[in-house]
Amino acid sequence: MSFSSDIIEWYNKHHRHLPWRETDNPYYIWISEIILQQTRVVQAISYYHDLITHFPSVEDMAQASEESILQLWQGLGYYSRARNLHATAREIAHKHHGTFPASYHDLLALKGVGPYTAAAIASFAFNLPHPVIDGNVMRVLSRYIGISDPINSSKGKKLIHDALSALFDNNNPANFNQAIMELGALICKPTSPDCDYCPVRSECFARNHGCVDILPVKSKKKPARNRYLHYWVIENQGNYLLHRRTANDIWKNLHEFLLIESPVPLTEFDILNANPIHPDIVLSKPDFVHHQIHQLTHQTLYVQFYHLHTMHFEPKNDFFWVKEYELKNYSMPILLRRFTDKYLI
Ligand code: SF4
């Protein structure tokens, strides 16, 4: 038996039945892979079903508005993925006449599709011999081969790549890729792997040398950046002041209340004296202030919501009034959505 046949045999008996594994439709597989880039499987399933139900074909997604896709994406974070889905669906509809590209290099040319996603679609949808490398695959191989260089260093990446090329099964690319990722997800887990149930345990370097808990090695990440977001939730008789974020930053194209951001914490006195609307516009004292900490991968957000009342005025720039019951129709970052659901609607 070889590494490939061992893991494929194990996979055939023990894999999870996930909806995107029941299809070879590249459009569905693409959607699932984009969701799974930063999302756990359990959370991904309902979003996957919602997206393919609302947009059963790439043409349907191409014809939809970006806003409708962002609304279905709320809560998943990394909203550039949703914007790229939409842009790519349009590209496929126009440039490829609605037919999904069927080669690794054409897939790689699509917006938001990197080497991992291109290899996943190429192998799962078209059974092409392209190995996938994700966190699960790196962990399995670093333990199985015994790679002690950090897996996020260039040397470690090359060793993983070489090991995978040597073990890869060109005759069963889809099954091999699914099997090695599933082994990492279910057996060769980050902590306390179930080595006694592993189909490749007899040949595994880490198990045979007692270093399962040490591998894989990773270089330290940069600490998360702190950001301080102070939202002015300005109400005029059941209407709220909103605008759309357009900068190349987190939450691009989603909606939010008026924001004052600072690199250091500000006092309530500083914030309420800032009046970013206009000195002539009279604002009430806040009737409540809500504090929240929101963790993103590389950023820690310290968020405050100040709920204030004002007289009516014509908003400037890109701000506009939205009726309270219509807030749900505007795509928002999940922390704002939770705030509006809990305190405003
Ligand atoms: S034997 Fe243990 S450490 Fe080795 S590949 Fe299997 S689960 Fe991972």
Side-chain angles (χ1 to χ4, degrees), residues 76-343:
L76 275 181
Y78 294 96
Y79 292 87
S80 59
R81 292 181 293 166
R83 292 190 295 273
N84 286 341
L85 269 185
H86 187 235
T88 302
R90 291 195 156 186
E91 184 186 342
I92 293 169
H94 298 135
K95 201 165 138 193
H96 301 275
H97 309 292
T99 303
F100 226 89
S103 80
Y104 175 81
H105 290 288
D106 286 349
L107 288 164
L108 197 55
L110 298 174
K111 199 169 182 183
V113 172
Y116 164 81
T117 308
I121 301 170
S123 62
F124 301 154
F126 304 111
N127 209 27
L128 295 172
H130 293 281
V132 294
I133 302 183
D134 71 349
N136 285 324
V137 173
M138 289 195 276
R139 186 169 60 256
V140 170
L141 290 178
S142 85
R143 288 172 175 166
Y144 181 76
I145 303 288
I147 294 171
S148 56
D149 288 282
I151 56 169
N152 48 353
S153 67
S154 42
K155 186 172 175 202
K157 284 180 189 167
K158 179 166 186 331
L159 291 170
I160 297 276
H161 181 270
D162 292 348
L164 186 57
S165 299
L167 295 169
F168 191 66
D169 188 340
N170 283 299
N171 296 319
N172 284 304
N175 284 341
F176 180 94
N177 282 340
Q178 293 281 20
I180 191 167
M181 288 198 292
E182 193 75 335
L183 188 70
L186 299 186
I187 299 285
C188 195
K189 296 171 290 188
T191 51
S192 310
D194 294 319
C195 296
D196 290 346
Y197 300 97
C198 178
V200 293
R201 61 187 177 280
S202 61
E203 302 292 323
C204 175
F205 179 93
R207 185 170 190 261
N208 294 336
H209 292 81
C211 54
V212 168
D213 296 335
I214 300 168
L215 298 178
V217 174
K218 281 189 197 165
S219 322
K220 287 216 167 63
K221 287 188 206 156
K222 280 195 278 178
R225 173 163 75 111
N226 292 341
R227 296 175 74 170
Y228 299 87
L229 309 183
H230 313 280
Y231 279 113
W232 290 44
V233 183
I234 298 176
E235 179 184 353
N236 170 254
Q237 297 187 337
N239 295 287
Y240 287 88
L241 200 59
L242 222 59
H243 86 128
R244 192 173 209 196
R245 289 175 70 91
T246 51
N248 279 330
D249 189 10
I250 55 170
W251 307 333
K252 185 179 177 187
N253 289 351
L254 273 67
H255 298 85
E256 66 180 358
F257 304 107
L258 194 150
L259 171 67
I260 297 178
E261 178 171 352
S262 60
V264 292
L266 296 179
T267 64
E268 190 169 324
F269 179 83
D270 291 332
I271 296 178
L272 295 174
N273 279 295
N275 194 343
I277 308 241
H278 190 278
D280 294 342
I281 306 291
V282 180
L283 295 161
S284 71
K285 293 264 179 247
D287 51 6
F288 68 87
V289 181
H290 174 71
H291 299 258
Q292 198 173 330
I293 297 175
H294 192 73
Q295 191 65 55
L296 302 175
T297 310
H298 303 296
Q299 302 180 24
T300 305
L301 309 181
Y302 295 88
V303 187
Q304 295 177 335
F305 295 93
Y306 292 83
H307 185 252
L308 310 134
H309 295 266
T310 184
M311 60 192 179
H312 180 75
F313 61 90
E314 283 307 320
K316 288 198 175 150
N317 302 325
D318 56 347
F319 279 87
F320 53 94
W321 292 108
V322 173
K323 292 191 188 316
E324 183 180 277
Y325 61 86
E326 288 181 342
L327 284 171
K328 63 180 180 311
N329 298 331
Y330 290 84
S331 56
M332 289 181 179
I334 193 65
L335 75 99
L336 271 79
R337 172 64 60 213
R338 288 192 186 126
F339 172 83
T340 59
D341 286 353
K342 185 164 181 187
Y343 295 105

